[in-house]
Every structure is written in structure tokens, then in C-alpha cells.
Amino acid sequence: MDDHSPLKQTPLHALHVSLGARMVPFAGYDMPVQYPAGVMKEHLHTRAAAGLFDVSHMGQIILRPKSGKIEDAALALEKLVPVDVLGLGDGRQRYGLFTNDEGGILDDLMIANRGDHLFLVVNAACKDADFAHLQKQLNETCDLTLLNDRALIALQGPRAECVLAELWADVATMRFMDVAEADLHDVPCIISRSGYTGEDGFEISIPAASAEDVTRRLLEHPDVLPIGLGARDSLRLEAGLCLYGNDIDTGTTPVEAALEWAMQKARRTGGAREGGFPGAGIILRQFADGAGRRRVGLKPDGKAPVRGGAALFADAQGERPAGTVTSGGFGPSADHPVAMGYVAAPYIANGSQLFAEVRGKYLPVTVSSLPFITPTYKR
């Protein structure tokens, strides 16, 4: 994006301002980084009750098969992602990755089977490039629509189901990664039981014209607080979830990123539809032989956070490079600093002692399993 371009606004921008949010530029949008409660309280409230996030800056794309057969759309999309889309059931969604010819990650996304079409949610900073990529590769088999008339909110936390049930009682029947259509406050919405905090919760796609009404209705509940980008980042970091552009990018492969779980057996070596996606040769070879580095959790030994960009070393003198921190900060729920990054293969075992360079000092960090909190997804 041109640095001089005016910032875009989501359909909930006026609501954020009215709630006293501090607004910052993010992925080309004017977004709330925190509200008067502050990042710490917002984070802990989401873990204890329910937090409401505006994620309308993300891209929502409909992929509709020209043949009318959802299987054709699934097989077409499988040419771009190392994911079993064909095996995705009606009313279910799955995490996916766009890869390039070098095995790098162009973006991560959610893929939902809506019966007669696929519904994709992609990252804000990548959505125009993703849409162009889809159009170029799938134009002959699918009709594509980038939805600019919808908002997207996330309701996350252990009280999220109870809150949403007051508007739609059947929400209790949904399980993790289910997708359904329902009326909320007489507004037709698409609801998925998913999110990016490590908590149970929902993502709700709403017609833009009705977004503020539905959101205000949810915020009226005493268990719900509005949550900004600051707490969203600390929540996803505690949950060990990647942020595109920080922890994964075109220079990282799914195997390096420890995202093998996102590639189902059907697309792996020996699977029914082995390979056939960009970078398959490199990625499948890493599956078999391992990669030279891997994304791991990192727990600083002291109280000082270690931020993204810090170099990692195998010795306290900074003479043996071992990797790089990609995300880091304080984990309010973990009650200690948390981080993750890429570490050379000899040092990826849990318990390995490394040293992060912070302002000329080498601070001890320990390789730790992810996530740092116990997820509460409703399976």
C-alpha cells in the first residue's frame, strides 16, 4: 500500500470512535489498538468471559464453481493449497495455506464449504493479491467475488456461546470449525465456530449495513468487552498461532513453520491426491527429511519480554547464530514473557537453552512447547 494513501475504514469505525478506542494504521485500515480498559484487561477479560473483535479488514471471498458442482471448486482450489478441500464436509471449514513455487507461504486462510460454494477468509494485507491470484488460476472453472459489503467480527472466550445463544439458541449445537447461517437480531449472518485466540468462540460475517446494530446488541451483554489489536496479538501469541508477515511469509515453508497438521494425508506423499500444489516437491521432501529450521515456542527466563526481530544464539557471547524471534511480548494469562521464532534444527528440542540479543545483552531463553495456554475449543 502507498504510504500516502488514505486509511480505509471498516463498517464499525464510528462505533470504535464512540467507544473511546485508540486508533492506529493496520494493513491499510484505521483500526482500534485498545479501548479505555487497556490491553491487559482486554486480554484477561477475553480469557475469562467474552471479547468482541472487529476483523472486518480481512478479505471475504466467494468461490463458486461454474459447473454447479462443489467438488469442482474444491479440486480447483487444491491446485493452490496443500489442503484436502475435497474432503471438507458441507458446513465445515478448515485452515489452509496458499503456497508458491519455492514452497513459501503466500498467505494463510480459512476455507468453508457452504454447500454450493466455498467461502474463504484471507488476511487484510494480502486480500487483493490473493483475489488476483485466485482469478488468474481459477477463472476458467470458478466465479469469484470479493465481498466488500460485509463486516466480520469475532466473539471469543468461555462465555461466547452463552452470549450468542441469546440471539440464536441453536449456536450450542455447533462444534469447532462448524459453519452455519443464522439470523441475529433479524439479520442473516454466516457464523463459524472458530477464532484466533485459543479460546472457544465465533466469527460472524454480517451485511455491512447491519453490522453496527448487531455488534452493539452483543456489546450490551455484561460479559462482553470490545477488544483491540493489542490484546488480539497477545492472545494469539499465547495460543501459539502465527501472524502472517511476522511468523510466516513467502520465505517460510509449512514444514519450517510447524504447520504440517494443516496438510491432510490426501495431499501428502502416498495420498489420494498427492502434491499438485505450488512448491509440492520442496514441501513434501521436507516432510520426509525435515527442514533446516523450525518454528518453536520460546520462554524468556526472566521478566523482560523478547520482541520480534531479536537474534538468537547458542551461546551467551553471541558467537553461534541459532535463529530469530518472530513474535514476542508479555503473556498476561501465562504470567510470563512469551515468544516464538525460527531455530536451527540442532536446537529445536524442548528445553534447549538459547540466548536472545536485546540491546547488546544476551538474555537466556528456553525452547518451549506451544501453545503457552490450554486451548478451550469445543470439539
Side-chain angles (χ1 to χ4, degrees):
M1 178 184 169
D2 186 338
D3 289 341
H4 301 291
S5 300
L7 292 174
K8 299 175 184 177
Q9 297 180 356
T10 75
L12 298 175
H13 186 272
L15 176 60
H16 300 314
V17 173
S18 74
L19 294 172
R22 181 160 71 87
M23 308 297 288
V24 298
F26 182 79
Y29 283 79
D30 196 27
M31 296 293 292
V33 68
Q34 67 178 76
Y35 296 86
V39 173
M40 178 74 78
K41 185 173 181 180
E42 291 172 27
H43 177 114
L44 294 173
H45 184 88
T46 302
R47 292 265 187 253
L52 192 146
F53 305 73
D54 180 12
V55 287
S56 304
H57 56 311
M58 300 182 76
Q60 302 180 62
I61 299 171
I62 287 179
L63 195 157
R64 192 177 298 275
K66 292 184 177 181
S67 68
K69 298 177 181 177
I70 191 66
E71 295 82 6
D72 291 342
L75 290 172
L77 186 58
E78 284 191 0
K79 296 176 181 177
L80 304 182
V81 299
V83 175
D84 179 8
V85 186
L86 185 62
L88 186 59
D90 189 355
R92 295 286 290 164
Q93 74 171 4
R94 177 165 283 165
Y95 177 79
L97 305 160
F98 288 124
T99 53
N100 62 22
D101 291 339
E102 293 73 43
I105 300 170
L106 294 172
D107 197 10
D108 58 346
L109 70 155
M110 299 302 298
I111 306 164
N113 181 342
R114 300 285 299 125
D116 63 352
H117 68 275
L118 298 176
F119 180 58
L120 315 182
V121 178
V122 302
N123 282 300
C126 304
K127 65 182 176 183
D128 292 332
D130 288 347
F131 189 68
H133 181 53
L134 287 162
Q135 280 191 312
K136 180 179 179 180
Q137 300 297 328
L138 307 186
N139 195 46
E140 292 186 5
T141 55
C142 299
D143 293 318
L144 293 128
T145 307
L146 179 60
L147 302 176
N148 294 312
D149 59 348
R150 297 189 75 86
L152 188 67
I153 61 173
L155 184 67
Q156 299 283 290
R159 297 289 296 165
E161 180 184 294
C162 293
V163 171
L164 196 54
E166 294 189 8
L167 298 185
W168 182 47
D170 288 348
V171 70
T173 66
M174 296 182 72
R175 58 193 173 104
F176 185 54
M177 290 294 193
D178 275 353
V179 182
E181 191 163 336
D183 286 352
L184 302 183
H185 201 35
D186 297 323
V187 176
C189 299
I190 300 168
I191 302 171
S192 64
R193 192 155 201 159
S194 60
Y196 226 61
T197 62
E199 297 293 332
D200 183 26
F202 306 88
E203 292 180 319
I204 307 167
S205 175
I206 313 169
S210 303
E212 185 169 332
D213 287 344
V214 173
T215 302
R216 283 188 180 276
R217 181 72 178 268
L218 291 168
L219 286 171
E220 287 172 0
H221 197 287
D223 286 338
V224 182
L225 277 183
I227 312 296
L229 293 172
R232 183 169 181 251
D233 193 53
S234 58
L235 288 159
R236 69 91 193 168
L237 178 53
E238 284 186 338
L241 300 171
C242 296
L243 176 64
Y244 190 82
N246 284 46
D247 311 296
I248 51 175
D249 55 28
T250 55
T252 55
T253 70
V255 176
E256 290 174 329
L259 295 173
E260 295 97 330
W261 58 267
M263 297 175 55
Q264 292 73 37
K265 290 181 180 179
R267 309 304 309 280
R268 300 184 192 181
T269 300
R273 295 181 309 288
E274 169 187 337
F277 50 85
I282 294 169
I283 294 169
L284 294 178
R285 186 165 60 249
Q286 287 186 350
F287 252 102
D289 302 333
R293 61 176 188 153
R294 188 169 180 84
R295 180 176 63 93
V296 298
L298 300 163
K299 184 180 181 297
D301 289 5
K303 287 293 185 182
V306 175
R307 306 291 180 183
L312 294 168
F313 297 88
D315 64 298
Q317 292 73 43
E319 296 176 354
R320 289 186 287 152
T324 307
V325 176
T326 53
S327 290
F330 184 74
S333 303
D335 197 30
H336 58 72
V338 294
M340 58 185 175
Y342 285 84
V343 171
Y347 311 111
I348 62 175
N350 288 343
S352 296
Q353 183 79 71
L354 298 173
F355 298 86
E357 184 178 7
V358 179
R359 294 187 291 277
K361 296 181 179 180
Y362 297 94
L363 304 182
V365 300
T366 303
V367 174
S368 173
S369 60
L370 293 170
F372 294 101
I373 51 93
T374 302
T376 61
Y377 310 127
K378 183 178 178 180
R379 300 290 184 177

